[in-house]
Amino acid sequence: MPDNPCVRRGGPRHEDLGQKKTLYEQTFKTRDYFCYDPETEELFGWTLSSEGIYQSLEPDENGRLWSSELEAWIGLWQGKYLETPGLWLRLFDEDNQLLPTTAEAAQAEADAAKAHAEALQAKADAERQKAERLAAQLRALGVEPEE
């Protein structure tokens, strides 16, 4: 079982907040347990105490809950994910900055690599144009530049 499930309510709310919570607390002893209700947009969270009992987590001023297991905040984010705008459950770092998904991080890396390649190409083009200008100046002076 995962060490830190983030459960999006799919079944009855009483199951997520009752039976499932008890299962993760008593059987799996999962350190942090979270439950999100998309109908009410409520996020609940608990952390396992040293006595093995879930203690309710209090949200910060942004309504996010801290996961000591993930070392990240869990909260709601309004935006576009997988080309679909909406309200999404996302992770945020200690400074409350949105953590990118794997796909978002890969896209950012690809965009940075493309920008770097374009910058290198522009520099190479500028150097080629400079070399052509210098070669033209040499020819105007009667000197044939070496290839």
Side-chain angles (χ1 to χ4, degrees), residues 67-122:
S67 170
S68 55
E69 185 73 20
L70 295 175
E71 295 184 353
W73 293 100
I74 298 174
L76 300 177
W77 172 78
Q78 182 73 43
K80 199 175 195 181
Y81 176 67
L82 298 175
E83 301 301 318
T84 305
L87 190 62
W88 300 95
L89 199 56
R90 296 288 302 263
L91 296 176
F92 299 83
D93 68 14
E94 291 175 334
D95 298 319
N96 275 309
Q97 298 298 308
L98 182 67
L99 291 172
T101 63
T102 304
E104 290 166 340
Q107 184 62 54
E109 190 175 319
D111 291 347
K114 181 181 177 185
H116 182 67
E118 289 171 351
L120 289 176
Q121 183 63 50

Side-chain angles (χ1 to χ4, degrees), residues 12 19 28 43 51 91 98 133 141:
Q19 292 172 307
F28 301 128
L43 177 62
E51 294 84 28
L91 296 176
L98 182 67
R133 280 193 308 276
L141 295 171

Side-chain angles (χ1 to χ4, degrees), residues 1 6 9 13 18-19 28 34 36-37 39 42-44 47 85 87 99 105 107 110 113 135 142 144:
M1 289 314 290
C6 190
R9 189 177 73 82
R13 180 178 174 148
Q19 292 172 307
F28 301 128
F34 299 93
Y36 173 62
D37 186 337
E39 292 174 11
E42 289 179 282
L43 177 62
F44 306 95
T47 190
L87 190 62
L99 291 172
Q107 184 62 54
E144 189 59 36

Side-chain angles (χ1 to χ4, degrees), residues 16 30 32 59 74:
D16 290 340
T30 302
D32 294 333
I74 298 174

